[in-house]
Amino acid sequence: MENSKRRFLKGTCALLAGASGATLLATVSASNEAKADPSVKYALIHDETKCIGCKACEVACRETNHVPEGVARLKIEQTGPYGEYPNQFYHFSRKSCQHCEDAPCVNVCPTGAAFIDKETGIVSVDAWKCVGCQYCIAACPYKIRFINPVTHAADKCDFCRETNLAQGKQPACVAACPTKALVFGNLKDPTSQVVQVLKANPTQRAKVDLGTRPKLFRIVAKSGEVAI
Ligand code: SF4
Ligand code: SF4
Ligand code: SF4
């Protein structure tokens, strides 16, 4: 059943490819606009000053979301060491979907497989609608999408929308972090921890000049936070 749906969508895509680019983009854009303005807007903060690079978040993500080896929804990247021995330190930064409010991956997807969930603002993927064209992978300025070798669909972090979040739990990475370096919550709730932390700390987001309005925030590490 699933394969026949995908075959149908692939056939439809081939027809759409014959249509003018302007018509296609207008259709896709209109469908995305209908999904705008979520009542809940989830965001994540990575507090790099608390991150010790243990990668428990990566492991928890893989286990919870059944992410196969060789690909990853979340990576902790290490840079350094900085400074002079014995006062050296590393920095750790998170690489994962930014849950853009104006998401290039959604804007280019010809089948609606890449979408913004109107209930949560989470950018997600309907695997059965995905035809593997990889337009979204090319369009993502953060280079975090991949083709899942098991499902053969585009894949990426979805804040555990279909796993932990659906069960009323925090995303797996957040729950697993031993230092509370990850804070997840609703930007539209002024009492949420995520809003409180954002109010109390200077934060940065990646490539904001592109107009993507990312919802992954960083509290940037200061020198000497993680000593070796
Ligand atoms: S970071 Fe990439 S995959 Fe995530 S919403 Fe933005 S464009 Fe899409
Ligand atoms: S590969 Fe990306 S752009 Fe192509 S159908 Fe799948 S989600 Fe949409
Ligand atoms: S689990 Fe927490 S401390 Fe460990 S690498 Fe991930 S964000 Fe950093």
Side-chain angles (χ1 to χ4, degrees):
M1 179 65 177
E2 189 159 305
N3 283 342
S4 65
K5 276 181 183 171
R6 278 198 184 166
R7 276 198 298 275
F8 170 76
L9 285 167
K10 279 185 178 173
T12 307
C13 276
L15 284 175
L16 283 172
S20 80
T23 307
L24 174 57
L25 285 175
T27 307
V28 171
S29 176
S31 85
N32 289 335
E33 276 167 23
K35 290 170 185 164
D37 194 24
S39 57
V40 176
K41 199 186 284 185
Y42 283 127
L44 183 71
I45 302 168
H46 182 214
D47 186 344
E48 295 173 2
T49 69
K50 291 183 179 174
C51 183
I52 56 173
C54 67
K55 303 198 175 186
C57 50
E58 287 186 5
V59 174
C61 171
R62 185 175 300 285
E63 288 178 355
T64 300
N65 299 300
H66 310 292
V67 181
E69 292 297 329
V71 291
R73 290 183 172 193
L74 155 64
K75 286 183 189 160
I76 296 293
E77 291 186 337
Q78 174 179 316
T79 54
Y82 299 102
E84 296 294 327
Y85 183 85
N87 299 312
Q88 288 179 296
F89 55 90
Y90 290 100
H91 285 167
F92 303 100
S93 59
R94 176 181 168 119
K95 192 171 180 200
S96 66
C97 178
Q98 314 279 311
H99 292 279
C100 307
E101 289 190 56
D102 190 357
C105 59
V106 173
N107 293 340
V108 300
C109 179
T111 68
F115 71 102
I116 297 178
D117 176 36
K118 62 183 176 185
E119 303 293 326
T120 61
I122 294 172
V123 181
S124 202
V125 180
D126 258 345
W128 76 267
K129 285 187 182 174
C130 178
V131 293
C133 65
Q134 304 192 26
Y135 289 178
C136 58
I137 292 175
C140 171
Y142 304 94
K143 302 297 171 208
I144 52 70
R145 295 178 79 100
F146 57 91
I147 295 293
N148 184 310
V150 174
T151 65
H152 304 292
D155 203 337
K156 63 169 202 73
C157 160
D158 66 353
F159 285 158
C160 296
R161 189 177 77 92
E162 295 178 347
T163 53
N164 276 22
L165 222 55
Q167 298 163 17
K169 299 179 196 165
Q170 291 272 298
C173 56
V174 178
C177 180
T179 65
K180 308 294 179 210
L182 295 167
V183 179
F184 173 79
N186 182 7
L187 284 179
K188 289 201 168 177
D189 176 0
T191 67
S192 67
Q193 189 190 2
V194 80
V195 170
Q196 300 308 312
V197 172
L198 285 173
K199 278 184 179 171
N201 296 277
T203 53
Q204 291 183 7
R205 293 177 294 166
K207 301 184 180 180
V208 283
D209 49 315
L210 298 178
T212 50
R213 309 210 299 281
K215 298 200 293 296
L216 177 60
F217 297 83
R218 302 168 60 201
I219 297 175
V220 180
K222 298 182 198 105
S223 298
E225 288 296 326
V226 183
I228 57 171

